[in-house]
Amino acid sequence: MDNLTESQILPSLLPNINNISSTLDASAVSATAHATAHIALFNLSHMALIVLPLLFVTNLLTALWKNHKFALFARSSKCQPVREASNPIPMPWSLNRKYEVYRASVRGDLFEGHFSRKYGRYGNTHAIVSPLTRSQKGINTVEPENIQCVLATKFDDYKRPEFRSLAAQPMLLPGLFTTDGPIWAHWRGMVRPQFTRKRFDANVADSERHMQLVFKAFGTEGDGGWVEDVNLLDHLYRLTMDTATQFLFGQSAETQTAELVRRGLLPKKAYKESHLDGFDSTFIKAGSYVGHRIKLSNMYWLFDGFEFRQACRDLYRMVDGYVGDVRAKGKAARGGAEIAEKPNTVIEEMEARGATQKDMVEQTMHLLVAGMDTSAAALGWVFAMLAAHPDTYAKLREQVVRTFGTEEKRLEEFNLETVKNCTYLQYCLLETLRLFPAGPINVREAIRDTVLPVGGGADGKSPVAVRKGARVQLGTYLTHRRKDIWGEDADEFRPERWEGRRRGWEFTPFSGGPQICVGQGYSMTQVGFVIARIAMRYDKIEPAEGSNNLKRSWMTVLTPGDGVRVRMHLASG
């Protein structure tokens, strides 16, 4: 080393010096970055300590100012305070209230238990308020005057809550039963022309073939003429699907035929391809998710999953195939000609107005759900009640036979007028709809500060102010069972109560006002026809052993949770 010159030593040391320098630089950069990160975190944490309280205080002051303005509105509108439902364990986003509703729903105790206790404790109209800001979040009411106000007289002050539409997706995309305003009016305008008396009568005549398939599906009678342990609800879903599609689209889904072929009760050659075969079971699967999502309100997204999404995809695949088939057959029947000036079906009406295949599929989903689900549920409850009240069934059958005859000897034809004039049949149907309305709760959201006519003050008779954004929950189920309106036997099935009684806003199974159910006439005629046809064929109907026909399940509609299992005796002669 001593013999090496400076020029020889420096080149050999340079790489090491460079490495050391790089290491020092990297360490410096790392230290600087580390320090910068700590400074950034320090600054963010300090900023959060400043900003978050500031936001909290700002929001609180804004809420208090809005409360003050709302109080001035209430005073100027001569409103009185309304009783508040207490919230003993306040939680963010009202999680405790949502859990209470969910738990009661799963137990089947939502209406007879949870809601009955609430109204019993806080009165026929009470408010839900924020525990922190004391802002009004909602009004719950079972007063007929308030129901009329929300659905009719002040209809323009309210809208359907957005969460209900979002909770129903993707099973039901925006359409007739989930929207308001121009979109709702657009689709209702397409559907409305099909609901005429002439078409009701034609559909009842077409329905006889479907009833014969249902009777075959019930099975043969055993010893003594009894058909044992039939779950009526399964058959009623397929029946209402087949008759609703026949009515709306001019082409039955033929789901009952497909089921009979599968069970070997019809030869394979009788099978007609049904794009909607299996729709009922898939719908029930998807609908159970939607029911729970709606009960979670704005937190609907918590209840989701692959099964739900797949069921929705399957439903749309079925409906898309069905609508495409209906359109193709309609075009072939017209020989390729343009649609007539007066379309014969909903699909033709949509085509004539320029709707796309996608539009038709999405709106058909709404119509299928309404046509199948609500009618099947109503029929299920009717026969659950009749099976539990043999004397009522005997009285009903006597009038049905006197009016329409027997299986072997027919008298009057079925149509809207004859079904409507069979008074005791109507009483039985109305009484069932009173006890088990398809929509047991109706919810609207105020789009401006407004007023309900009753519910305020110590006696509950004064007007009540409703704050913009508050949801008004109309408790149809409990309104239908108020003893001060319907008598001490309000919870009992007694069709005779309808004799001489006029229907008012205390009875709203089809909602009311501008958004009253467009299919009310169709449903009453079709359901009445099915009741009469079963009464003509079977002279006795009883609950099957071990059945629980009165379990309440509220998903998309209020339906018998464990089906309707009965045994029926074939009439002779």
Side-chain angles (χ1 to χ4, degrees), residues 70 74 94 111 134 164 188 236 239 317-318 331 335 363 387 403 417 467 474 534 554 564 571:
F70 179 64
S94 300
F111 299 101
R134 308 297 301 157
R164 292 181 72 89
R188 187 179 176 95
L236 294 172
L239 172 64
R317 174 182 50 78
M318 295 181 205
K331 187 174 182 179
Q363 300 314 308
T403 303
E417 199 65 32
R467 184 173 180 160
L474 309 175
I534 289 179
W554 180 36
V564 181

mmCIF file with all atom_site columns, all heavy atoms in Angstrom, residues 70 74 94 111 134 164 188 236 239 317-318 331 335 363 387 403 417 467 474 534 554 564 571:
data_model
loop_
_atom_site.group_PDB
_atom_site.id
_atom_site.type_symbol
_atom_site.label_atom_id
_atom_site.label_alt_id
_atom_site.label_comp_id
_atom_site.label_asym_id
_atom_site.label_entity_id
_atom_site.label_seq_id
_atom_site.pdbx_PDB_ins_code
_atom_site.Cartn_x
_atom_site.Cartn_y
_atom_site.Cartn_z
_atom_site.occupancy
_atom_site.B_iso_or_equiv
_atom_site.pdbx_formal_charge
_atom_site.auth_seq_id
_atom_site.auth_comp_id
_atom_site.auth_asym_id
_atom_site.auth_atom_id
_atom_site.pdbx_PDB_model_num
ATOM 1   N N   . PHE A 1 70  ? -89.313  25.384  12.279  1.00 0.00 ? 70  PHE A N   1
ATOM 2   C CA  . PHE A 1 70  ? -90.421  24.425  12.241  1.00 0.00 ? 70  PHE A CA  1
ATOM 3   C C   . PHE A 1 70  ? -91.424  24.725  13.352  1.00 0.00 ? 70  PHE A C   1
ATOM 4   O O   . PHE A 1 70  ? -92.646  24.612  13.148  1.00 0.00 ? 70  PHE A O   1
ATOM 5   C CB  . PHE A 1 70  ? -89.879  23.002  12.368  1.00 0.00 ? 70  PHE A CB  1
ATOM 6   C CG  . PHE A 1 70  ? -90.939  21.927  12.372  1.00 0.00 ? 70  PHE A CG  1
ATOM 7   C CD1 . PHE A 1 70  ? -91.740  21.719  11.267  1.00 0.00 ? 70  PHE A CD1 1
ATOM 8   C CD2 . PHE A 1 70  ? -91.135  21.140  13.501  1.00 0.00 ? 70  PHE A CD2 1
ATOM 9   C CE1 . PHE A 1 70  ? -92.729  20.737  11.264  1.00 0.00 ? 70  PHE A CE1 1
ATOM 10  C CE2 . PHE A 1 70  ? -92.110  20.148  13.514  1.00 0.00 ? 70  PHE A CE2 1
ATOM 11  C CZ  . PHE A 1 70  ? -92.904  19.944  12.389  1.00 0.00 ? 70  PHE A CZ  1
ATOM 12  N N   . ALA A 1 74  ? -95.347  25.416  12.960  1.00 0.00 ? 74  ALA A N   1
ATOM 13  C CA  . ALA A 1 74  ? -96.372  24.684  13.702  1.00 0.00 ? 74  ALA A CA  1
ATOM 14  C C   . ALA A 1 74  ? -97.310  25.642  14.428  1.00 0.00 ? 74  ALA A C   1
ATOM 15  O O   . ALA A 1 74  ? -98.529  25.460  14.438  1.00 0.00 ? 74  ALA A O   1
ATOM 16  C CB  . ALA A 1 74  ? -95.706  23.729  14.695  1.00 0.00 ? 74  ALA A CB  1
ATOM 17  N N   . SER A 1 94  ? -80.455  5.065   14.655  1.00 0.00 ? 94  SER A N   1
ATOM 18  C CA  . SER A 1 94  ? -81.605  4.340   15.240  1.00 0.00 ? 94  SER A CA  1
ATOM 19  C C   . SER A 1 94  ? -81.456  2.829   15.090  1.00 0.00 ? 94  SER A C   1
ATOM 20  O O   . SER A 1 94  ? -82.417  2.105   14.788  1.00 0.00 ? 94  SER A O   1
ATOM 21  C CB  . SER A 1 94  ? -82.916  4.803   14.593  1.00 0.00 ? 94  SER A CB  1
ATOM 22  O OG  . SER A 1 94  ? -83.109  6.179   14.790  1.00 0.00 ? 94  SER A OG  1
ATOM 23  N N   . PHE A 1 111 ? -96.817  -7.170  14.254  1.00 0.00 ? 111 PHE A N   1
ATOM 24  C CA  . PHE A 1 111 ? -98.037  -6.362  14.336  1.00 0.00 ? 111 PHE A CA  1
ATOM 25  C C   . PHE A 1 111 ? -98.802  -6.591  15.636  1.00 0.00 ? 111 PHE A C   1
ATOM 26  O O   . PHE A 1 111 ? -99.165  -5.639  16.329  1.00 0.00 ? 111 PHE A O   1
ATOM 27  C CB  . PHE A 1 111 ? -98.933  -6.644  13.131  1.00 0.00 ? 111 PHE A CB  1
ATOM 28  C CG  . PHE A 1 111 ? -98.272  -6.294  11.832  1.00 0.00 ? 111 PHE A CG  1
ATOM 29  C CD1 . PHE A 1 111 ? -97.711  -7.279  11.029  1.00 0.00 ? 111 PHE A CD1 1
ATOM 30  C CD2 . PHE A 1 111 ? -98.161  -4.979  11.437  1.00 0.00 ? 111 PHE A CD2 1
ATOM 31  C CE1 . PHE A 1 111 ? -97.074  -6.958  9.846   1.00 0.00 ? 111 PHE A CE1 1
ATOM 32  C CE2 . PHE A 1 111 ? -97.522  -4.643  10.256  1.00 0.00 ? 111 PHE A CE2 1
ATOM 33  C CZ  . PHE A 1 111 ? -96.971  -5.636  9.463   1.00 0.00 ? 111 PHE A CZ  1
ATOM 34  N N   . ARG A 1 134 ? -83.496  16.689  18.971  1.00 0.00 ? 134 ARG A N   1
ATOM 35  C CA  . ARG A 1 134 ? -84.942  16.798  19.171  1.00 0.00 ? 134 ARG A CA  1
ATOM 36  C C   . ARG A 1 134 ? -85.674  17.125  17.876  1.00 0.00 ? 134 ARG A C   1
ATOM 37  O O   . ARG A 1 134 ? -86.795  17.631  17.885  1.00 0.00 ? 134 ARG A O   1
ATOM 38  C CB  . ARG A 1 134 ? -85.285  17.864  20.227  1.00 0.00 ? 134 ARG A CB  1
ATOM 39  C CG  . ARG A 1 134 ? -84.568  17.719  21.542  1.00 0.00 ? 134 ARG A CG  1
ATOM 40  C CD  . ARG A 1 134 ? -84.922  16.419  22.232  1.00 0.00 ? 134 ARG A CD  1
ATOM 41  N NE  . ARG A 1 134 ? -86.360  16.343  22.473  1.00 0.00 ? 134 ARG A NE  1
ATOM 42  C CZ  . ARG A 1 134 ? -87.021  15.204  22.650  1.00 0.00 ? 134 ARG A CZ  1
ATOM 43  N NH1 . ARG A 1 134 ? -86.379  14.039  22.582  1.00 0.00 ? 134 ARG A NH1 1
ATOM 44  N NH2 . ARG A 1 134 ? -88.312  15.207  22.869  1.00 0.00 ? 134 ARG A NH2 1
ATOM 45  N N   . ARG A 1 164 ? -87.182  2.902   0.000   1.00 0.00 ? 164 ARG A N   1
ATOM 46  C CA  . ARG A 1 164 ? -88.017  1.756   -0.375  1.00 0.00 ? 164 ARG A CA  1
ATOM 47  C C   . ARG A 1 164 ? -87.711  1.302   -1.802  1.00 0.00 ? 164 ARG A C   1
ATOM 48  O O   . ARG A 1 164 ? -87.672  0.108   -2.098  1.00 0.00 ? 164 ARG A O   1
ATOM 49  C CB  . ARG A 1 164 ? -89.503  2.100   -0.213  1.00 0.00 ? 164 ARG A CB  1
ATOM 50  C CG  . ARG A 1 164 ? -89.920  2.296   1.235   1.00 0.00 ? 164 ARG A CG  1
ATOM 51  C CD  . ARG A 1 164 ? -91.390  2.600   1.352   1.00 0.00 ? 164 ARG A CD  1
ATOM 52  N NE  . ARG A 1 164 ? -92.219  1.446   1.074   1.00 0.00 ? 164 ARG A NE  1
ATOM 53  C CZ  . ARG A 1 164 ? -92.600  0.555   1.990   1.00 0.00 ? 164 ARG A CZ  1
ATOM 54  N NH1 . ARG A 1 164 ? -92.201  0.676   3.230   1.00 0.00 ? 164 ARG A NH1 1
ATOM 55  N NH2 . ARG A 1 164 ? -93.371  -0.445  1.670   1.00 0.00 ? 164 ARG A NH2 1
ATOM 56  N N   . ARG A 1 188 ? -98.130  4.276   -15.332 1.00 0.00 ? 188 ARG A N   1
ATOM 57  C CA  . ARG A 1 188 ? -99.539  4.046   -14.997 1.00 0.00 ? 188 ARG A CA  1
ATOM 58  C C   . ARG A 1 188 ? -100.417 4.315   -16.212 1.00 0.00 ? 188 ARG A C   1
ATOM 59  O O   . ARG A 1 188 ? -101.405 3.614   -16.448 1.00 0.00 ? 188 ARG A O   1
ATOM 60  C CB  . ARG A 1 188 ? -99.960  4.941   -13.830 1.00 0.00 ? 188 ARG A CB  1
ATOM 61  C CG  . ARG A 1 188 ? -101.378 4.618   -13.317 1.00 0.00 ? 188 ARG A CG  1
ATOM 62  C CD  . ARG A 1 188 ? -101.725 5.528   -12.159 1.00 0.00 ? 188 ARG A CD  1
ATOM 63  N NE  . ARG A 1 188 ? -103.091 5.340   -11.690 1.00 0.00 ? 188 ARG A NE  1
ATOM 64  C CZ  . ARG A 1 188 ? -103.454 4.561   -10.687 1.00 0.00 ? 188 ARG A CZ  1
ATOM 65  N NH1 . ARG A 1 188 ? -102.537 3.851   -10.044 1.00 0.00 ? 188 ARG A NH1 1
ATOM 66  N NH2 . ARG A 1 188 ? -104.712 4.462   -10.317 1.00 0.00 ? 188 ARG A NH2 1
ATOM 67  N N   . LEU A 1 236 ? -101.911 -21.615 -5.300  1.00 0.00 ? 236 LEU A N   1
ATOM 68  C CA  . LEU A 1 236 ? -102.473 -20.289 -5.554  1.00 0.00 ? 236 LEU A CA  1
ATOM 69  C C   . LEU A 1 236 ? -101.453 -19.359 -6.194  1.00 0.00 ? 236 LEU A C   1
ATOM 70  O O   . LEU A 1 236 ? -101.818 -18.511 -7.010  1.00 0.00 ? 236 LEU A O   1
ATOM 71  C CB  . LEU A 1 236 ? -102.997 -19.689 -4.244  1.00 0.00 ? 236 LEU A CB  1
ATOM 72  C CG  . LEU A 1 236 ? -104.204 -20.416 -3.624  1.00 0.00 ? 236 LEU A CG  1
ATOM 73  C CD1 . LEU A 1 236 ? -104.517 -19.852 -2.242  1.00 0.00 ? 236 LEU A CD1 1
ATOM 74  C CD2 . LEU A 1 236 ? -105.417 -20.329 -4.535  1.00 0.00 ? 236 LEU A CD2 1
ATOM 75  N N   . LEU A 1 239 ? -101.546 -20.359 -9.811  1.00 0.00 ? 239 LEU A N   1
ATOM 76  C CA  . LEU A 1 239 ? -102.828 -19.965 -10.402 1.00 0.00 ? 239 LEU A CA  1
ATOM 77  C C   . LEU A 1 239 ? -102.858 -18.472 -10.690 1.00 0.00 ? 239 LEU A C   1
ATOM 78  O O   . LEU A 1 239 ? -103.228 -18.044 -11.801 1.00 0.00 ? 239 LEU A O   1
ATOM 79  C CB  . LEU A 1 239 ? -103.969 -20.336 -9.457  1.00 0.00 ? 239 LEU A CB  1
ATOM 80  C CG  . LEU A 1 239 ? -105.363 -19.806 -9.846  1.00 0.00 ? 239 LEU A CG  1
ATOM 81  C CD1 . LEU A 1 239 ? -105.820 -20.411 -11.161 1.00 0.00 ? 239 LEU A CD1 1
ATOM 82  C CD2 . LEU A 1 239 ? -106.377 -20.072 -8.738  1.00 0.00 ? 239 LEU A CD2 1
ATOM 83  N N   . ARG A 1 317 ? -84.050  -13.001 -16.176 1.00 0.00 ? 317 ARG A N   1
ATOM 84  C CA  . ARG A 1 317 ? -83.831  -13.898 -17.315 1.00 0.00 ? 317 ARG A CA  1
ATOM 85  C C   . ARG A 1 317 ? -85.161  -14.534 -17.742 1.00 0.00 ? 317 ARG A C   1
ATOM 86  O O   . ARG A 1 317 ? -85.478  -14.607 -18.929 1.00 0.00 ? 317 ARG A O   1
ATOM 87  C CB  . ARG A 1 317 ? -82.826  -14.992 -16.932 1.00 0.00 ? 317 ARG A CB  1
ATOM 88  C CG  . ARG A 1 317 ? -82.643  -16.074 -18.002 1.00 0.00 ? 317 ARG A CG  1
ATOM 89  C CD  . ARG A 1 317 ? -81.671  -17.148 -17.546 1.00 0.00 ? 317 ARG A CD  1
ATOM 90  N NE  . ARG A 1 317 ? -81.987  -17.667 -16.221 1.00 0.00 ? 317 ARG A NE  1
ATOM 91  C CZ  . ARG A 1 317 ? -82.956  -18.544 -15.976 1.00 0.00 ? 317 ARG A CZ  1
ATOM 92  N NH1 . ARG A 1 317 ? -83.722  -18.994 -16.964 1.00 0.00 ? 317 ARG A NH1 1
ATOM 93  N NH2 . ARG A 1 317 ? -83.169  -18.968 -14.750 1.00 0.00 ? 317 ARG A NH2 1
ATOM 94  N N   . MET A 1 318 ? -85.961  -14.973 -16.767 1.00 0.00 ? 318 MET A N   1
ATOM 95  C CA  . MET A 1 318 ? -87.267  -15.569 -17.070 1.00 0.00 ? 318 MET A CA  1
ATOM 96  C C   . MET A 1 318 ? -88.192  -14.559 -17.748 1.00 0.00 ? 318 MET A C   1
ATOM 97  O O   . MET A 1 318 ? -88.833  -14.852 -18.761 1.00 0.00 ? 318 MET A O   1
ATOM 98  C CB  . MET A 1 318 ? -87.932  -16.073 -15.782 1.00 0.00 ? 318 MET A CB  1
ATOM 99  C CG  . MET A 1 318 ? -87.229  -17.202 -15.075 1.00 0.00 ? 318 MET A CG  1
ATOM 100 S SD  . MET A 1 318 ? -88.173  -17.690 -13.596 1.00 0.00 ? 318 MET A SD  1
ATOM 101 C CE  . MET A 1 318 ? -86.874  -18.407 -12.595 1.00 0.00 ? 318 MET A CE  1
ATOM 102 N N   . LYS A 1 331 ? -96.540  -10.330 -32.946 1.00 0.00 ? 331 LYS A N   1
ATOM 103 C CA  . LYS A 1 331 ? -96.188  -9.859  -34.284 1.00 0.00 ? 331 LYS A CA  1
ATOM 104 C C   . LYS A 1 331 ? -96.606  -10.865 -35.342 1.00 0.00 ? 331 LYS A C   1
ATOM 105 O O   . LYS A 1 331 ? -97.119  -10.495 -36.410 1.00 0.00 ? 331 LYS A O   1
ATOM 106 C CB  . LYS A 1 331 ? -94.680  -9.615  -34.354 1.00 0.00 ? 331 LYS A CB  1
ATOM 107 C CG  . LYS A 1 331 ? -94.224  -8.963  -35.649 1.00 0.00 ? 331 LYS A CG  1
ATOM 108 C CD  . LYS A 1 331 ? -92.746  -8.620  -35.595 1.00 0.00 ? 331 LYS A CD  1
ATOM 109 C CE  . LYS A 1 331 ? -92.293  -7.919  -36.882 1.00 0.00 ? 331 LYS A CE  1
ATOM 110 N NZ  . LYS A 1 331 ? -90.858  -7.553  -36.827 1.00 0.00 ? 331 LYS A NZ  1
ATOM 111 N N   . GLY A 1 335 ? -99.445  -10.761 -38.483 1.00 0.00 ? 335 GLY A N   1
ATOM 112 C CA  . GLY A 1 335 ? -98.858  -10.884 -39.806 1.00 0.00 ? 335 GLY A CA  1
ATOM 113 C C   . GLY A 1 335 ? -97.805  -9.835  -40.070 1.00 0.00 ? 335 GLY A C   1
ATOM 114 O O   . GLY A 1 335 ? -97.607  -9.405  -41.214 1.00 0.00 ? 335 GLY A O   1
ATOM 115 N N   . GLN A 1 363 ? -90.885  -3.226  -16.299 1.00 0.00 ? 363 GLN A N   1
ATOM 116 C CA  . GLN A 1 363 ? -92.244  -2.917  -15.853 1.00 0.00 ? 363 GLN A CA  1
ATOM 117 C C   . GLN A 1 363 ? -93.092  -4.178  -15.716 1.00 0.00 ? 363 GLN A C   1
ATOM 118 O O   . GLN A 1 363 ? -93.983  -4.241  -14.866 1.00 0.00 ? 363 GLN A O   1
ATOM 119 C CB  . GLN A 1 363 ? -92.901  -1.919  -16.808 1.00 0.00 ? 363 GLN A CB  1
ATOM 120 C CG  . GLN A 1 363 ? -92.162  -0.597  -16.902 1.00 0.00 ? 363 GLN A CG  1
ATOM 121 C CD  . GLN A 1 363 ? -91.768  -0.030  -15.558 1.00 0.00 ? 363 GLN A CD  1
ATOM 122 O OE1 . GLN A 1 363 ? -92.605  0.100   -14.656 1.00 0.00 ? 363 GLN A OE1 1
ATOM 123 N NE2 . GLN A 1 363 ? -90.485  0.301   -15.393 1.00 0.00 ? 363 GLN A NE2 1
ATOM 124 N N   . ALA A 1 387 ? -111.252 -22.070 6.680   1.00 0.00 ? 387 ALA A N   1
ATOM 125 C CA  . ALA A 1 387 ? -110.955 -23.378 7.279   1.00 0.00 ? 387 ALA A CA  1
ATOM 126 C C   . ALA A 1 387 ? -111.106 -23.323 8.797   1.00 0.00 ? 387 ALA A C   1
ATOM 127 O O   . ALA A 1 387 ? -111.513 -24.312 9.428   1.00 0.00 ? 387 ALA A O   1
ATOM 128 C CB  . ALA A 1 387 ? -109.539 -23.808 6.905   1.00 0.00 ? 387 ALA A CB  1
ATOM 129 N N   . THR A 1 403 ? -126.293 -19.173 -6.186  1.00 0.00 ? 403 THR A N   1
ATOM 130 C CA  . THR A 1 403 ? -126.063 -18.183 -7.242  1.00 0.00 ? 403 THR A CA  1
ATOM 131 C C   . THR A 1 403 ? -125.470 -18.798 -8.500  1.00 0.00 ? 403 THR A C   1
ATOM 132 O O   . THR A 1 403 ? -125.963 -18.559 -9.617  1.00 0.00 ? 403 THR A O   1
ATOM 133 C CB  . THR A 1 403 ? -125.120 -17.074 -6.740  1.00 0.00 ? 403 THR A CB  1
ATOM 134 O OG1 . THR A 1 403 ? -125.679 -16.470 -5.566  1.00 0.00 ? 403 THR A OG1 1
ATOM 135 C CG2 . THR A 1 403 ? -124.926 -15.999 -7.816  1.00 0.00 ? 403 THR A CG2 1
ATOM 136 N N   . GLU A 1 417 ? -120.003 -8.406  -12.547 1.00 0.00 ? 417 GLU A N   1
ATOM 137 C CA  . GLU A 1 417 ? -121.281 -8.067  -11.923 1.00 0.00 ? 417 GLU A CA  1
ATOM 138 C C   . GLU A 1 417 ? -121.806 -9.186  -11.034 1.00 0.00 ? 417 GLU A C   1
ATOM 139 O O   . GLU A 1 417 ? -122.245 -8.939  -9.901  1.00 0.00 ? 417 GLU A O   1
ATOM 140 C CB  . GLU A 1 417 ? -122.312 -7.732  -13.005 1.00 0.00 ? 417 GLU A CB  1
ATOM 141 C CG  . GLU A 1 417 ? -123.507 -6.946  -12.500 1.00 0.00 ? 417 GLU A CG  1
ATOM 142 C CD  . GLU A 1 417 ? -123.130 -5.560  -12.006 1.00 0.00 ? 417 GLU A CD  1
ATOM 143 O OE1 . GLU A 1 417 ? -122.192 -4.961  -12.539 1.00 0.00 ? 417 GLU A OE1 1
ATOM 144 O OE2 . GLU A 1 417 ? -123.786 -5.092  -11.055 1.00 0.00 ? 417 GLU A OE2 1
ATOM 145 N N   . ARG A 1 467 ? -92.742  17.732  9.690   1.00 0.00 ? 467 ARG A N   1
ATOM 146 C CA  . ARG A 1 467 ? -91.555  18.420  9.200   1.00 0.00 ? 467 ARG A CA  1
ATOM 147 C C   . ARG A 1 467 ? -91.110  17.888  7.837   1.00 0.00 ? 467 ARG A C   1
ATOM 148 O O   . ARG A 1 467 ? -91.252  16.694  7.546   1.00 0.00 ? 467 ARG A O   1
ATOM 149 C CB  . ARG A 1 467 ? -90.417  18.233  10.201  1.00 0.00 ? 467 ARG A CB  1
ATOM 150 C CG  . ARG A 1 467 ? -89.151  18.967  9.854   1.00 0.00 ? 467 ARG A CG  1
ATOM 151 C CD  . ARG A 1 467 ? -88.172  18.838  10.998  1.00 0.00 ? 467 ARG A CD  1
ATOM 152 N NE  . ARG A 1 467 ? -86.921  19.522  10.712  1.00 0.00 ? 467 ARG A NE  1
ATOM 153 C CZ  . ARG A 1 467 ? -86.055  19.893  11.634  1.00 0.00 ? 467 ARG A CZ  1
ATOM 154 N NH1 . ARG A 1 467 ? -86.310  19.655  12.910  1.00 0.00 ? 467 ARG A NH1 1
ATOM 155 N NH2 . ARG A 1 467 ? -84.936  20.494  11.303  1.00 0.00 ? 467 ARG A NH2 1
ATOM 156 N N   . LEU A 1 474 ? -98.281  5.081   7.956   1.00 0.00 ? 474 LEU A N   1
ATOM 157 C CA  . LEU A 1 474 ? -99.717  4.836   8.064   1.00 0.00 ? 474 LEU A CA  1
ATOM 158 C C   . LEU A 1 474 ? -99.921  3.377   8.450   1.00 0.00 ? 474 LEU A C   1
ATOM 159 O O   . LEU A 1 474 ? -99.659  2.466   7.659   1.00 0.00 ? 474 LEU A O   1
ATOM 160 C CB  . LEU A 1 474 ? -100.405 5.150   6.733   1.00 0.00 ? 474 LEU A CB  1
ATOM 161 C CG  . LEU A 1 474 ? -100.097 6.528   6.121   1.00 0.00 ? 474 LEU A CG  1
ATOM 162 C CD1 . LEU A 1 474 ? -100.748 6.663   4.750   1.00 0.00 ? 474 LEU A CD1 1
ATOM 163 C CD2 . LEU A 1 474 ? -100.536 7.644   7.050   1.00 0.00 ? 474 LEU A CD2 1
ATOM 164 N N   . ILE A 1 534 ? -113.906 -22.915 -5.701  1.00 0.00 ? 534 ILE A N   1
ATOM 165 C CA  . ILE A 1 534 ? -113.519 -23.914 -4.699  1.00 0.00 ? 534 ILE A CA  1
ATOM 166 C C   . ILE A 1 534 ? -114.710 -24.254 -3.810  1.00 0.00 ? 534 ILE A C   1
ATOM 167 O O   . ILE A 1 534 ? -114.924 -25.420 -3.452  1.00 0.00 ? 534 ILE A O   1
ATOM 168 C CB  . ILE A 1 534 ? -112.317 -23.406 -3.875  1.00 0.00 ? 534 ILE A CB  1
ATOM 169 C CG1 . ILE A 1 534 ? -111.055 -23.402 -4.767  1.00 0.00 ? 534 ILE A CG1 1
ATOM 170 C CG2 . ILE A 1 534 ? -112.079 -24.271 -2.636  1.00 0.00 ? 534 ILE A CG2 1
ATOM 171 C CD1 . ILE A 1 534 ? -109.795 -22.904 -4.102  1.00 0.00 ? 534 ILE A CD1 1
ATOM 172 N N   . TRP A 1 554 ? -94.459  -10.787 6.810   1.00 0.00 ? 554 TRP A N   1
ATOM 173 C CA  . TRP A 1 554 ? -94.520  -9.585  5.974   1.00 0.00 ? 554 TRP A CA  1
ATOM 174 C C   . TRP A 1 554 ? -93.208  -9.421  5.223   1.00 0.00 ? 554 TRP A C   1
ATOM 175 O O   . TRP A 1 554 ? -92.207  -9.034  5.786   1.00 0.00 ? 554 TRP A O   1
ATOM 176 C CB  . TRP A 1 554 ? -94.794  -8.343  6.823   1.00 0.00 ? 554 TRP A CB  1
ATOM 177 C CG  . TRP A 1 554 ? -94.869  -7.081  6.026   1.00 0.00 ? 554 TRP A CG  1
ATOM 178 C CD1 . TRP A 1 554 ? -95.383  -6.931  4.775   1.00 0.00 ? 554 TRP A CD1 1
ATOM 179 C CD2 . TRP A 1 554 ? -94.406  -5.789  6.425   1.00 0.00 ? 554 TRP A CD2 1
ATOM 180 N NE1 . TRP A 1 554 ? -95.281  -5.623  4.359   1.00 0.00 ? 554 TRP A NE1 1
ATOM 181 C CE2 . TRP A 1 554 ? -94.681  -4.898  5.354   1.00 0.00 ? 554 TRP A CE2 1
ATOM 182 C CE3 . TRP A 1 554 ? -93.808  -5.302  7.570   1.00 0.00 ? 554 TRP A CE3 1
ATOM 183 C CZ2 . TRP A 1 554 ? -94.357  -3.545  5.424   1.00 0.00 ? 554 TRP A CZ2 1
ATOM 184 C CZ3 . TRP A 1 554 ? -93.491  -3.947  7.633   1.00 0.00 ? 554 TRP A CZ3 1
ATOM 185 C CH2 . TRP A 1 554 ? -93.766  -3.089  6.569   1.00 0.00 ? 554 TRP A CH2 1
ATOM 186 N N   . VAL A 1 564 ? -100.760 -22.415 3.710   1.00 0.00 ? 564 VAL A N   1
ATOM 187 C CA  . VAL A 1 564 ? -102.134 -22.682 4.149   1.00 0.00 ? 564 VAL A CA  1
ATOM 188 C C   . VAL A 1 564 ? -102.417 -24.164 3.881   1.00 0.00 ? 564 VAL A C   1
ATOM 189 O O   . VAL A 1 564 ? -102.765 -24.557 2.770   1.00 0.00 ? 564 VAL A O   1
ATOM 190 C CB  . VAL A 1 564 ? -103.158 -21.793 3.397   1.00 0.00 ? 564 VAL A CB  1
ATOM 191 C CG1 . VAL A 1 564 ? -104.571 -22.071 3.897   1.00 0.00 ? 564 VAL A CG1 1
ATOM 192 C CG2 . VAL A 1 564 ? -102.824 -20.318 3.575   1.00 0.00 ? 564 VAL A CG2 1
ATOM 193 N N   . ALA A 1 571 ? -117.720 -32.289 -2.709  1.00 0.00 ? 571 ALA A N   1
ATOM 194 C CA  . ALA A 1 571 ? -119.184 -32.273 -2.626  1.00 0.00 ? 571 ALA A CA  1
ATOM 195 C C   . ALA A 1 571 ? -119.766 -33.337 -3.545  1.00 0.00 ? 571 ALA A C   1
ATOM 196 O O   . ALA A 1 571 ? -119.206 -33.639 -4.606  1.00 0.00 ? 571 ALA A O   1
ATOM 197 C CB  . ALA A 1 571 ? -119.718 -30.900 -3.009  1.00 0.00 ? 571 ALA A CB  1
#
